[in-house]
Amino acid sequence: MSALGGAPERRDPRIVCLLPVRNAADTLQDWLDEAARFADAVVALDDGSTDGTGAVLAAHPLVATVITNERRAGHLGWHDGRNRNRLLAAAEAARPDWIFSLDADERLDITDAAGLREFVVTQALPGFAYGFQLYRMHGGDTYDPDYEWVYRLFPFKPSHRFLNRRLDLVPVPTQIGPERWIHTTLRVKHFGDADPAARSRRVAKFREADPEGAFQDYYENLRPLGSGPFPRWRARVPELPFLLGAGDSVVQGVARPYVVCLLPARNCADLLPGWFDSIERVADAVVALDDGSTDETEALLRQHPLVVKVLTNPPRPDFGDWDDGHNRNRLLAAAAELWPTWVISVDADERIPPEDAAALRRFLHRGAERGRGYSLASFRMIDDEDHYDRLDYDAYRLFAFEPGQVFPTARLHAPPIPTAIPRERWLQTTIRMKHLVSLTDDARRTRREKFRQADPDCTWEPDYGYTTEAPGELKTWEPRAFDHPVLPARGSASDWPDELDLDGPVLTIALAVAPGQEHDAVQMLWDIGDDERVELLVATRDGYAADVVSNGVKNVATVQIAAESGEAGLANTVLDVARGDYVTFLEVGDRIEPGGFGELIDAHEAGHGVLRAGVTEPPPTAAGWASLLLAGADPAWTYVSFAREALRALGGFDQSCPDGHEAGAARALNDMGLTAGTVSSVVRQRRQAPSVTAMLLARYETGLRGSASARAVRPRAAWSRAAGEIDGAVDASRPLVAGLIAGGAAATWLGEALRRIRRTDAPG
């Protein structure tokens, strides 16, 4: 309390740093002195040191708690997950608001330390974890500019726990899913990988701690050392924003926004505070145009930190000279200077609710396709922001940025989708938007008068009577369900969150249908029968096939996938559309036995997050074997069924990997603690084996796209796993398969190298 007995004095958030450390006595004193710049306390674990590490920790005033492990000579027995969970539990006594993890071979620059303190005071939000850019230092003050993301900061709760993973652990509580991990521009210096000798010591440490090789795919595939020359480290730019959208990059210290919102605004000062509260959940930057306002609109736009550019038109008394097409094209041209990834237009009288905003960001990172225009569902709100009378229209507002794009030039009522995206490439979404323009009778009459001034002869729209229609039956706004699909399925009875069937199916059977397979698909769906617990869903890239299946099978939903979408993209669209707790992916020709639904459901309900099924025959060619093994797949089994919500929380299937996405998803779920089971009622027909050229091209594209699967499997591990099974299974010798595996690994490396070159050359 204050001296006068008033409100409690303001207290800045308290940061507690977790430090697992072993044999670092020579550098630990300096580390602790520097940690005082950003941390209020350090909770440390001495992991069996044989030097003076424990004494240094005990003597330093910043260290609130020291936990110890039994003294040991080497790294055998190192369990990073157990150590970090002990640290997290002990941190509660230090009264943290935020937890930050930093290892003994890592440091924060003094400017980043100050930035961390400022960030938790001004912008960091509860419920999220934050990523830092980890740079490998070379020499005293030079660094490799090819950074990687590490997630180290999150708000403390006593119930939080880390994954109990022995090695390769991300120190973020399991309660904070990856969809709530946010990138920042804050940096960490890493001194443990500075040269080949340090790299060798680091790998040897992991090998000693992991004698059975359970985690070798991680430490044997550490990012290679750069060849230089290396730039000198620079202080953090004070004007640099703290937050980036997922997938953003920092080139030469300049933040590239992930989502830019375009705002044409006129005399809306009263609407802007609520608009900013809404749009900051979606956009990383705003480009605004003040269209001749006579109130405080321009001043409010210039004051808000989210607004990076403000364009203006001269003041005017009414809407007589309103040219919406010209205004929006000016906004798009200004946004192009920022080189965004996505562009969205949201007007000042529109609001995107929090749950829909979160769904939109997830969709952009995992399911949205470049070259398409997407709509938001605009609901007419009545009386307040909690009631509406109807879904008014689909507002097409969202697209991926490409240089040279322009909007239509029609003066009024032209959807802000670039002319280069044809109408057949527009897709409806279930992302909702509240339109506040019709809240009251006065607001509806004002809207009608605006259009009377702007279009007195009804040149741009034949009738404006809809603007003053009396309210219909009012409905209460309901929050969006987390798992509601963004892209509605054709034939689905529940396109909108307020109409969701809470007693939905347990299992979704998703059948991929290629052109020409539609009649076989109809027969297959008839053969596998019907079950009230099961939703039948067909995914196809062919509109004719979708129509044939819809007409031939009752109670089946169809979703049409973009022709250029890969297998992982198709699977992710299914994850978004499916309603079942579990999704089983089938192909035309697969066999599912009578009663197979029950086995799939029972296996999942028993706790298995992923299920595998047998394959009829192994690959018939050497290229087929190499492709499977490099993708981390087993020639005798394939993963067919997944816990939908858990997989979506991990980001879905890896779309940057052209093959092996099922095996990668299975590994991710296993790392999350979900086990894999085997079912006998589903049998996968052997897929067509790729040619040597197709296999090498697929691995090259994997590296080029930056897929996590690119480094998922080492060639030596792939070979040793199945060498004994190859003889007699293919018309080729073992050396040929081994050579193709090595060639595939080289193609992956080449793709990765080109990707790094492109990123370095990318515009800022």
Side-chain angles (χ1 to χ4, degrees), residues 69 94 113 200 255 286 334 339 343 345 388 412 447 456 685 737:
N69 283 337
S200 296
V286 170
W339 205 270
V343 175
S345 297
Y388 68 98
L412 297 175
R447 186 186 187 198
Q685 298 297 309
V737 178

Side-chain angles (χ1 to χ4, degrees), residues 382-431:
I382 303 295
D383 294 339
D384 53 40
E385 293 191 32
D386 295 323
H387 297 87
Y388 68 98
D389 68 342
R390 70 188 184 209
L391 167 62
D392 222 7
Y393 62 99
D394 289 314
Y396 284 88
R397 304 291 187 81
L398 175 69
F399 58 92
F401 170 76
E402 297 288 348
Q405 288 171 329
V406 293
F407 289 143
T409 56
R411 189 163 70 85
L412 297 175
H413 306 306
I417 297 293
T419 56
I421 302 176
R423 186 63 182 81
E424 60 269 20
R425 298 283 297 163
W426 295 11
L427 282 182
Q428 177 193 35
T429 79
T430 64
I431 302 296

Side-chain angles (χ1 to χ4, degrees), residues 403-657:
Q405 288 171 329
V406 293
F407 289 143
T409 56
R411 189 163 70 85
L412 297 175
H413 306 306
I417 297 293
T419 56
I421 302 176
R423 186 63 182 81
E424 60 269 20
R425 298 283 297 163
W426 295 11
L427 282 182
Q428 177 193 35
T429 79
T430 64
I431 302 296
R432 301 172 301 170
M433 184 166 62
K434 298 179 177 182
H435 198 186
L436 310 185
V437 73
S438 300
L439 286 182
T440 65
D441 287 338
D442 285 345
R444 291 188 284 273
R445 286 192 292 268
T446 298
R447 186 186 187 198
R448 180 67 184 87
E449 176 61 19
K450 177 179 75 170
F451 286 120
R452 188 196 66 77
Q453 296 173 9
D455 188 16
D457 299 324
C458 292
T459 302
W460 303 101
E461 194 154 301
D463 183 14
Y464 291 98
Y466 66 88
T467 60
T468 54
E469 287 180 0
E473 180 183 354
L474 295 191
K475 303 175 184 178
T476 300
W477 189 269
E478 298 292 342
R480 181 188 187 92
F482 176 82
D483 60 352
H484 190 74
V486 171
L487 297 177
R490 292 175 55 181
S492 171
S494 56
D495 284 346
W496 303 108
D498 54 321
E499 299 171 358
L500 280 175
D501 178 9
L502 298 180
D503 298 319
V506 178
L507 177 70
T508 295
I509 297 290
L511 179 64
V513 180
Q517 294 182 330
E518 53 273 4
H519 296 292
D520 291 335
V522 170
Q523 185 60 53
M524 181 176 172
L525 290 168
W526 274 104
D527 289 344
I528 64 177
D530 195 10
D531 189 312
E532 63 180 8
R533 301 171 297 172
V534 178
E535 172 192 40
L536 297 179
L537 179 67
V538 163
T540 180
R541 300 178 179 88
D542 181 43
Y544 173 73
D547 291 337
V548 169
V549 175
S550 296
N551 294 329
V553 183
K554 65 177 182 178
N555 299 328
V556 64
T558 60
V559 58
Q560 191 169 338
I561 312 298
E564 67 274 16
S565 180
E567 296 303 312
L570 181 150
N572 278 331
T573 301
V574 167
L575 285 182
D576 280 334
V577 170
R579 296 163 55 226
D581 298 328
Y582 315 105
V583 181
T584 300
F585 293 89
L586 299 181
E587 299 175 359
V588 175
D590 290 348
R591 186 173 73 251
I592 180 167
E593 302 291 345
F597 296 151
E599 185 190 13
L600 289 164
I601 292 172
D602 290 345
H604 276 303
E605 295 289 353
H608 296 306
V610 60
L611 301 177
R612 54 181 173 246
V615 179
T616 54
E617 298 177 46
T621 66
W625 275 92
S627 180
L628 275 176
L629 298 177
L630 281 168
D634 191 299
W637 301 95
T638 187
Y639 296 98
V640 297
S641 196
F642 302 84
R644 181 171 63 91
E645 193 59 33
L647 184 54
R648 290 183 74 225
L650 290 173
F653 295 96
D654 186 353
Q655 291 195 84
S656 61
C657 181

